[in-house]
Amino acid sequence: MAVMTMSKISECQVSDCSYNNDNNCHALAITVGDEKCPGCDTFTQSGKKGGNPGALGGVGACKVENCKYNNSLECSAGSIQVGLGTHGCHAECRTFSARQ
Ligand code: SF4
Ligand code: SF4
C-alpha cells in the first residue's frame, strides 16, 4: 500500500470558524463531508479562537467517496482550499471534484 501523506489546507475563507485566523485553518486535522456535501465537519463557532496558531491544518479524514481525490476515505489531493458552501453546507472543500 502506498504511503499517504496528509493533505494540507492551503486556505480557508470561512472567517467565522473558531479555527480560522487570517484565512488559515489551525485545527491540526479536519474531517470532511458526507455523500451529500463536501463540508468541513470540524467547523465550529465557540466564541473564542481554537487550534494551534503555529500549525497549518490538514485533512485527517474525508468521507466524500465520490470525489476523485478520495482514496480509501482519505484525501490524496496534496492540498485543498476551503470556502463558504455552495452545496448546502456552511464551509466546504472547494477542491472537491466529482468522480467521472
Ligand atoms: S477548514 Fe474547517 S475547521 Fe478549518 S478554519 Fe476552515 S471551516 Fe474551520
Ligand atoms: S479534495 Fe475531495 S477527497 Fe480531498 S478533502 Fe476535498 S472532497 Fe475530500
Side-chain angles (χ1 to χ4, degrees), residues 32 38 59 62 64 67 69-70 74-75 77 80 93 95-96:
V32 175
V59 183
C62 177
V64 187
C67 175
Y69 296 111
N70 197 291
E74 299 286 354
C75 178
I80 70 161
C93 175
T95 307
F96 165 79

